[in-house]
Amino acid sequence: VINKTNRVSAQLKAIYKDNILPAEKRYRYDFFYESPFLTDVEFDAKPQVMLVGQYSVGKTSFIRYMLGRDFPGARIGPEPTTDRFTCLINGPEERTIPGNALSVHPDLPFRGLERFGVSFLSRFEGSQLPSSVLRSITLVDTPGILSGEKQRVNRGYDFTKVVSWFADRADLILLLFDAHKLDISDELKATIDVLKGHEDKVRCILNKADQINRQQLMRVYGSLLWSLGKTINSPEVLRVYVGSFWHEPLQNLDNAELFESEESDLMRDLAILPRQSAVRKINELVKRIRKVKTLAYIIGHLKSQMPAVMGKDKKQQKLISDMPNVFRTIMKKHNLAPGDFPDINKFSEKLKDTKFSEFHSLKLDQIQLLEDCLSSHLPKLMEELPSEKDSPETLKAKFGATREDNTYVPVPSGA
């Protein structure tokens, strides 16, 4: 029995190909937003969980604890040992997969990483192993973020841009902190800055909390919330899970009961990710449709302003220099939201490499297809997914009476 989440993904693919992709191609969405057209793999992809934190906070140990075992390519130590992005995927045999192979794999959602170049791909690898946890989610382990003098080491690629790429596609972002070192370095702050817009996906883990007593834990917890409040501009307080996520016995049993309940909460969050992933895909597609629609109006407007024969170059330069007013005119005429417009400086730079006279004119029937997605197709899909208002009976109707094994993430033994 195909579960409801998979059916929703299949319907999303059809909606995208029929209603959205033609407009993206016509108005060159891939060029202006540097975002390739979506493929089936991106709709079918398992939920991704990305781990971010400074070096030696226990990211790799946390993954081992979740999986209940070692994984190919794992490196652990007090110094920066994970110097690469590692994607953990389920597979019949244990092996590491080079980044170049991952980025062209037809069944994995990593094709867009080619743009970061060979220097990045040489520091990107896949770790395949048979795992009940990885049957329902994909884990992304990031390099330990550097602090102090170590920050000046050149990684050879734009670290924050790569993190941003993964953040766009992640369903959950875990920020790990060590209870003994809460300082937020410049590189960590820059990394947190690129997570803006994804605050709803971010959760924090205060790791190694068994090495301090209850009173110290209260102070450390308060200090972490204060530091995060200054770094992340969000009206809501981030959820922080407190515990010691590795296989060694607790050093201090003062908070053993707290750690156990915190771990249960975290595992519950991970277990419902496959269901939440379908909602996220719909939300991401809604954002994309709004951007495509706005881009269509902009390109159509610029095309309509061009003279038929003489003075095309001069008119184009005038329009580019007057882009703030162009945006304002389009916004008022079509009642568009300011947040749906591209970054004006980047967009103006992109326009310099084009010829307005070669743009396509606005097709109102394509705009109507996009409107239909927003007003009809996607809201209907949302109704099919579970919500907090659902009763057990309506949930059974939506998901089928049989519980799917692959939506369950087991709690690690050894807690």
Side-chain angles (χ1 to χ4, degrees):
V1 181
I2 300 171
N3 67 23
K4 181 63 69 177
T5 305
N6 291 343
R7 286 207 295 274
V8 167
S9 292
Q11 287 173 280
L12 278 177
K13 278 188 278 190
I15 290 170
Y16 175 74
K17 285 178 182 173
D18 296 342
N19 298 37
I20 305 160
L21 184 58
E24 287 190 4
K25 288 180 175 176
R26 183 176 178 85
Y27 304 109
R28 300 179 64 186
Y29 181 89
D30 58 326
F31 171 75
F32 287 108
Y33 277 95
E34 295 183 359
S35 174
F37 303 129
L38 299 178
T39 60
D40 287 356
V41 174
E42 279 148 314
F43 290 103
D44 296 333
K46 295 174 188 173
Q48 285 188 24
V49 179
M50 179 169 70
L51 286 84
V52 178
Q54 292 183 172
Y55 73 91
S56 193
V57 295
K59 293 190 299 298
T60 306
S61 296
F62 174 83
I63 292 174
R64 285 177 61 200
Y65 182 70
M66 273 191 63
L67 300 179
R69 52 167 297 176
D70 277 328
F71 59 90
R75 303 167 188 84
I76 295 173
E79 281 301 298
T81 47
T82 305
D83 63 343
R84 59 192 63 218
F85 283 80
T86 305
C87 289
L88 287 94
I89 54 179
N90 187 51
E93 58 188 36
E94 290 189 28
R95 60 175 179 146
T96 56
I97 306 168
N100 285 292
L102 274 181
S103 69
V104 295
H105 198 293
D107 300 325
L108 295 173
F110 304 124
R111 294 186 81 91
L113 288 168
E114 294 164 343
R115 79 181 71 169
F116 298 111
V118 177
S119 58
F120 165 71
L121 292 175
S122 65
R123 292 177 177 85
F124 174 50
E125 72 178 16
S127 178
Q128 180 184 290
L129 65 155
S131 164
S132 57
V133 174
L134 297 176
R135 276 208 297 268
S136 52
I137 60 175
T138 298
L139 296 172
V140 180
D141 190 13
T142 61
I145 291 171
L146 306 174
S147 59
E149 285 296 312
K150 298 186 184 75
Q151 288 181 184
R152 295 175 194 170
V153 176
N154 185 13
R155 292 185 186 270
Y157 60 92
D158 193 322
F159 177 77
T160 52
K161 279 192 177 176
V162 175
V163 169
S164 177
W165 188 92
F166 276 107
D168 288 342
R169 290 152 183 82
D171 293 86
L172 191 67
I173 301 166
L174 296 178
L175 271 179
L176 278 83
F177 293 91
D178 186 331
H180 290 282
K181 48 182 183 190
L182 293 181
D183 58 307
I184 295 179
S185 66
D186 291 345
E187 191 175 41
L188 179 55
K189 188 179 186 316
T191 305
I192 291 173
D193 283 345
V194 301
L195 301 180
K196 278 178 182 163
H198 302 295
E199 289 87 356
D200 57 321
K201 302 179 190 175
V202 178
R203 306 286 185 275
C204 295
I205 292 178
L206 184 57
N207 203 12
K208 306 183 184 179
D210 64 321
Q211 297 172 20
I212 55 179
N213 63 36
R214 189 168 297 174
Q215 185 181 15
Q216 290 170 324
L217 179 58
M218 285 174 63
R219 288 176 182 161
V220 168
Y221 184 84
S223 177
L224 175 60
L225 288 180
W226 183 78
S227 298
L228 288 170
K230 289 199 307 176
T231 312
I232 299 176
N233 295 319
S234 172
E236 294 183 14
V237 177
L238 287 182
R239 173 68 164 99
V240 179
Y241 299 99
V242 182
S244 181
F245 297 93
W246 65 336
H247 285 293
E248 297 300 317
L250 297 178
Q251 292 186 23
N252 189 325
L253 297 174
D254 280 3
N255 302 299
E257 199 175 317
L258 169 68
F259 297 162
E260 199 172 307
S261 58
E262 289 284 282
E263 182 182 305
S264 295
D265 285 354
L266 175 58
M267 294 306 155
R268 201 175 297 118
D269 265 6
L270 291 169
I272 62 171
L273 268 187
R275 296 177 190 181
Q276 290 181 335
S277 177
V279 177
R280 182 191 67 81
K281 285 171 184 170
I282 292 173
N283 287 339
E284 294 297 327
L285 200 58
V286 167
K287 288 182 198 171
R288 193 172 177 110
I289 292 168
R290 294 172 71 96
K291 286 180 182 176
V292 173
K293 187 176 80 167
T294 303
L295 179 64
Y297 280 126
I298 295 169
I299 298 299
H301 176 83
L302 295 176
K303 171 73 173 178
S304 69
Q305 297 299 304
M306 295 302 288
V309 186
M310 302 290 289
K312 292 181 181 178
D313 289 346
K314 193 174 179 183
K315 181 63 175 176
Q316 176 166 330
Q317 287 171 6
K318 186 180 177 186
L319 284 167
I320 291 174
S321 62
D322 195 33
M323 199 50 58
N325 284 326
V326 170
F327 274 21
R328 208 171 291 119
T329 302
I330 296 167
M331 197 187 312
K332 285 182 179 177
K333 183 178 178 182
H334 301 289
N335 196 26
L336 301 171
D340 296 339
F341 281 75
D343 179 278
I344 196 163
N345 296 321
K346 290 179 184 173
F347 189 72
S348 298
E349 284 300 311
K350 285 279 186 185
L351 287 174
K352 291 174 185 175
D353 297 328
T354 64
K355 288 187 176 179
F356 290 8
S357 55
E358 295 175 0
F359 284 169
H360 289 291
S361 56
L362 186 69
K363 277 183 76 174
L364 291 176
D365 58 337
Q366 282 191 331
I367 296 293
Q368 189 56 51
L369 286 175
L370 297 176
E371 292 286 3
D372 290 344
C373 290
L374 294 173
S375 61
S376 174
H377 304 323
L378 295 179
K380 279 180 186 171
L381 272 187
M382 284 295 285
E383 286 173 12
E384 294 183 24
L385 290 167
S387 73
E388 292 173 1
K389 296 176 184 175
D390 280 319
S391 65
E393 289 72 27
T394 56
L395 275 175
K396 280 180 186 174
K398 285 182 178 182
F399 269 98
T402 311
R403 180 178 176 175
E404 298 291 333
D405 285 339
N406 65 353
T407 61
Y408 174 63
V409 178
V411 175
S413 57

